[in-house]
Structure formats: C-alpha cells, structure tokens
Amino acid sequence: MVLVLGVSAGAGGARAMLTHSDQPHLPPIDHCTVARRAGAGVEEPVFRAIELMRSSAADRDEFVTGIAVTCRCALHAEAVRAAAGRSRLTIVDEPLAQLRYLRFSGQLPAEGAVLLYDLGSSGLTLTEADCRTEAILGTKRSTLLGGDGHDALLRWRLAHEGVTIDNAASREYKEQLSCARVVTVGDPDTGRRIVLTRSDFHDLTLAGVHHSVSYVRQLIDETGVVPRAVALLGGCTRSPSIRESLEQLLDLPIVYDCEPDVVSVRGAVLMATEQPAARRVRGIRFAPPQRPAAVSRRKVIAAAAVTVALGSAVTGLLLTAHDSARPGPGGIPAGPVEVAGTSSNSLPGK
C-alpha cells in the first residue's frame, strides 16, 4: 500500500494528513496541525508537520512515497521551495488541490464553472474555475474578512458585557457555536458569566457576509461566467449561520463538504499520489514511472577503460594464434612449447 502525505500551508500554520494513496476521502492514518510561531516564516510549520508525519510513518515501518504541499500565494510557495532544498516534494496551488478533491469526491457538476468560496482565518479567497478542465477563470482575495476578524468581533461583543477572554478562548467558543445554539462564556479573572447564542454570532458576522457576496458578484461580472455552484471551504464555513446567509444571498446551489477546513490537505494527498514514486490505484491517473537514473561520467570512463583492455587482450590472442600457424625452423610447424617461448631441445629426452 502506498503511503502519501498532504500538507496545506497557510498564514496561521500548516495542516498535514498521512494516508494511503487510494483513501484520500477516508479518515487518515495520522494527521497534525502545527501553528505558525510568531515571527516565523510559513515554511517552518510546513516542515515541522512533514517531520512529525514521517516519524509516524517510520513507527509503522512504512515509507512516505510522495509529499505535496498546497500554497495560497506565490510568496508562500517560494518560501517553501527555498526551504525544501533537495527534498522531494510537490508544491501545488491551493485552488487546484481543492478542485481536484471536490472532483474526486463527486461534489462538483460535470460541466460548467464552480466558484470556490474559501473563508479561512486570515481572509477570503474567491476562485472561479471550470469544473471539467480545472482552468482558473478568475480570483479575488480580501483580508478584511476571515476567522481572525470574527474572533475580534466576538471578543468586542463579550467585552461590552463585561467579559474578557483571549484569542484562543474566543476561537473555542466560536467553534462550539458551530455545533450548539447556546454556550456559556466565563471571564477567567472575574468569574463573570454570560450566555452567547448562535443568533448573537450571526448578528456579528452578517455585515461581513454581505460584503463577501459583493466580492462574489464582482468576480462573476469580471469573468462573465455564472457558476453552476458555489463550494464553501475554510473553517469559518462550519458556522451554520454563515452557510445559511450565503445560500440566501447568493441564490446559487451550495456545495459543502462536511470537513471544509481539510479539503485543501485532502487535495494535497491526491496530488502526492501523482508523483512518480506512487503506484496506480483505483483508476486514478498518476505520473509515469521515473526514467532510469543517468549513469555517472566516472562509471562511463571506467567502462571504456575496461573495454579497451579487453580489446587489447583479444587482439594479442589473435596475433598469437596467427603466429602459431607459421612454420618453425626447417619448415616444421612450431609446437606448443615453442609458442610458449621454450626451445624443443630443452624438453626431457632431447
């Protein structure tokens, strides 16, 4: 079974998934999330995640045959490429990986365009692409919207009620509201507690959702192609209120994966299977096998020297055989001892 590793790189860190090449849609063998350290480059959490997953594979006595890393922008891709050195990995544009997985899982229409609405922690990325050819028709990016902004709005809302929490706590409460309609928030210093509802969070994010819809319409106007569906990606789209608002405002069919924040890394897994080291499984088209490695110059020179030496030896044997056929002294053909350089008179009995 071929073991492959997919990694998605982002402003907040890296997410990695270790799985078999024919099981990108199933629960992974192992996975990890590495947060980006303050002041560190985007490449640091990427290679930390790769190291962790390689160790996990080694513990299973298995070897990772392919690694793919998705990057949102050229700047991130260049940073990862520079840090990779001679490490063998594939760097992929994130929208391409997302499209590849959505196609693999059968969530996209067979024809027409789709719009990828990726609302992550650091911002909103819109990509319109052709479902069949995966050609990118247009893109837009905004850092005014995103999970970090939602966290800030939530902290502001709670502070207005006399409850102060940190970034990690606000993110945790926000994620809880994706599953529950009501959560109780407490101030760790004062002990004050208030009730926060999903409706409260909806009111905080509604203006941003409206703003994002204007971005979507601008992109459609620029490409001149109305998408047949909108795929909601990124951790922020886990919020039911955000999904419901987008569906009402866009008036387009919605594609939603049950794990929208790991679509990129699952797409990276698929791209990793297309590396030459991976095998063909379940009809997925992989890259052709690698050509044999080129023979080094030193080996070529050594082989030539051996060939010349063998040629000289063969030539000497042929000349010797030719001389042995000539008559010896007195017209008598030379005997084998003479050919060896010994006179016939030196033989015993002579």
Side-chain angles (χ1 to χ4, degrees), residues 233-281:
L233 308 171
C236 293
T237 60
R238 283 183 176 273
S239 170
S241 61
I242 290 179
R243 295 200 305 272
E244 292 167 5
S245 298
L246 286 170
E247 190 168 10
Q248 293 173 4
L249 294 170
L250 290 173
D251 194 26
L252 288 168
I254 296 297
V255 173
Y256 175 70
D257 189 89
C258 60
E259 294 182 301
D261 47 343
V262 298
V263 168
S264 296
V265 71
R266 289 191 186 277
V269 167
L270 279 174
M271 305 302 279
T273 65
E274 297 182 2
Q275 293 190 27
R279 301 180 300 184
R280 291 182 178 272
V281 289

Side-chain angles (χ1 to χ4, degrees), residues 324-336 338:
S324 66
R326 293 177 181 176
I332 301 173
E338 290 174 334

Side-chain angles (χ1 to χ4, degrees), residues 8-348:
S8 63
R15 189 188 302 269
M17 182 177 291
L18 185 69
T19 186
H20 292 123
S21 58
D22 61 342
Q23 299 174 350
H25 56 302
L26 298 181
I29 295 171
D30 201 356
H31 63 93
C32 69
T33 300
V34 180
R36 185 176 178 179
R37 183 174 54 86
V42 70
E43 71 281 359
E44 182 180 292
V46 167
F47 287 97
R48 176 57 180 159
I50 291 175
E51 179 185 352
L52 291 173
M53 293 297 95
R54 277 179 166 164
S55 297
S56 177
D59 292 341
R60 297 169 52 87
D61 292 328
E62 294 191 74
F63 177 73
V64 178
T65 60
I67 303 174
V69 180
T70 68
C71 295
R72 181 178 297 116
C73 65
L75 186 63
H76 289 177
E78 187 56 36
V80 173
R81 186 178 292 107
R86 294 188 176 183
S87 299
R88 298 185 61 182
L89 55 83
T90 300
I91 299 176
V92 187
D93 288 341
E94 189 171 52
L96 178 60
Q98 293 168 342
L99 282 167
R100 190 64 56 86
Y101 178 71
L102 292 174
R103 285 186 61 185
F104 172 85
S105 56
Q107 299 182 68
L108 296 184
E111 300 289 340
V114 64
L115 193 143
L116 305 179
Y117 181 103
D118 188 354
L119 188 59
S121 61
S122 62
L124 171 67
T125 303
L126 301 177
T127 307
E128 190 171 7
D130 185 273
C131 292
R132 184 176 58 84
T133 65
E134 297 180 345
I136 304 300
L137 306 178
T139 61
K140 270 190 177 298
R141 171 77 177 167
S142 173
T143 56
L144 299 176
L145 309 165
D148 293 341
H150 292 168
D151 293 339
L153 288 172
L154 184 56
R155 291 195 304 274
W156 174 85
R157 168 71 168 76
L158 295 173
H160 185 70
E161 299 291 336
V163 174
T164 302
I165 58 175
D166 59 16
N167 293 350
S170 65
R171 183 163 300 176
E172 181 181 349
Y173 287 126
K174 182 183 66 177
E175 292 175 355
Q176 288 179 16
L177 287 172
S178 298
C179 304
R181 293 187 175 275
V182 179
V183 296
T184 301
V185 181
D187 188 317
D189 295 327
T190 65
R192 179 176 172 80
R193 301 167 68 85
I194 64 171
V195 173
L196 186 69
T197 67
R198 186 180 291 175
S199 178
D200 294 332
F201 184 72
H202 170 76
D203 293 340
L204 291 173
T205 59
L206 185 58
V209 172
H210 276 274
H211 188 55
S212 71
V213 169
S214 69
Y215 271 84
V216 171
R217 289 170 179 162
Q218 288 176 22
L219 181 58
I220 294 174
D221 289 342
E222 291 174 4
T223 62
V225 179
V226 178
R228 297 187 60 183
V230 176
L232 304 183
L233 308 171
C236 293
T237 60
R238 283 183 176 273
S239 170
S241 61
I242 290 179
R243 295 200 305 272
E244 292 167 5
S245 298
L246 286 170
E247 190 168 10
Q248 293 173 4
L249 294 170
L250 290 173
D251 194 26
L252 288 168
I254 296 297
V255 173
Y256 175 70
D257 189 89
C258 60
E259 294 182 301
D261 47 343
V262 298
V263 168
S264 296
V265 71
R266 289 191 186 277
V269 167
L270 279 174
M271 305 302 279
T273 65
E274 297 182 2
Q275 293 190 27
R279 301 180 300 184
R280 291 182 178 272
V281 289
R282 294 194 180 180
I284 304 175
R285 185 179 181 183
F286 300 120
Q290 287 182 313
R291 295 180 179 179
V295 180
S296 67
R297 184 177 179 182
R298 182 180 297 177
K299 290 182 179 180
V300 172
I301 294 174
V306 172
T307 302
V308 171
L310 289 174
S312 300
V314 172
T315 302
L317 290 174
L318 290 175
L319 290 175
T320 300
H322 179 71
D323 290 341
S324 66
R326 293 177 181 176
I332 301 173
V337 176
E338 290 174 334
V339 173
T342 305
S343 171
S344 60
N345 294 328
S346 65
L347 293 174

